[in-house]
Amino acid sequence: MRLSDLTLLVTATAVAAARGRPIHVAFEGKVIFGSKTLDSQRQEVHDSLRNHCLDIGANENGAETLTGGFDGEGYHFKYRCNCAHGNTGLPFTIREAIWSAQATNDGSC
């Protein structure tokens, strides 16, 4: 094996190890407006959480990237980011102007 091939193999192995095993990440939180939360505000939460999901290494996979939604009262939500494999740094809290969410490990993929 040539030195350049060995270097490439070691680099690829290190990158794969750094990414870690894929996990599901739960995002659970609420919007400050309670039952008066507008649909546009719910969409803002969804879009922001989807971006967070992609930022922690989930694959772009249409509707399967982020699943879940709001409960019947319309201000509490629970979403699941499917198969994130970046440096998730769990648990962590996301705080935005009108909502906040706790991100936690939700099991292996």
Side-chain angles (χ1 to χ4, degrees):
M1 182 177 275
R2 295 182 315 204
L3 181 59
S4 61
D5 292 338
L6 181 60
T7 302
L8 181 61
L9 178 63
V10 169
T11 302
T13 303
V15 168
R19 290 184 64 128
R21 296 191 129 182
I23 61 169
H24 298 295
V25 176
F27 294 114
E28 188 166 2
K30 61 184 175 183
V31 179
I32 63 172
F33 302 119
S35 60
K36 296 181 185 197
T37 303
L38 303 174
D39 288 342
S40 61
Q41 293 164 325
R42 288 185 196 96
Q43 187 63 47
E44 180 182 327
V45 170
H46 174 272
D47 293 347
S48 181
L49 289 175
R50 190 170 195 287
N51 287 335
H52 280 286
C53 185
L54 294 171
D55 287 347
I56 58 175
N59 292 324
E60 179 71 50
N61 192 15
E64 297 299 315
T65 302
L66 183 71
T67 57
F70 283 80
D71 67 8
E73 295 181 19
Y75 64 94
H76 177 264
F77 57 86
K78 184 168 185 180
Y79 283 93
R80 185 182 212 195
C81 175
N82 292 303
C83 297
H85 47 67
N87 180 12
T88 59
L90 295 172
F92 62 87
T93 302
I94 303 167
R95 289 185 178 84
E96 298 288 340
I98 65 167
W99 62 274
S100 64
Q102 181 70 29
T104 58
N105 186 320
D106 200 26
S108 298
C109 292

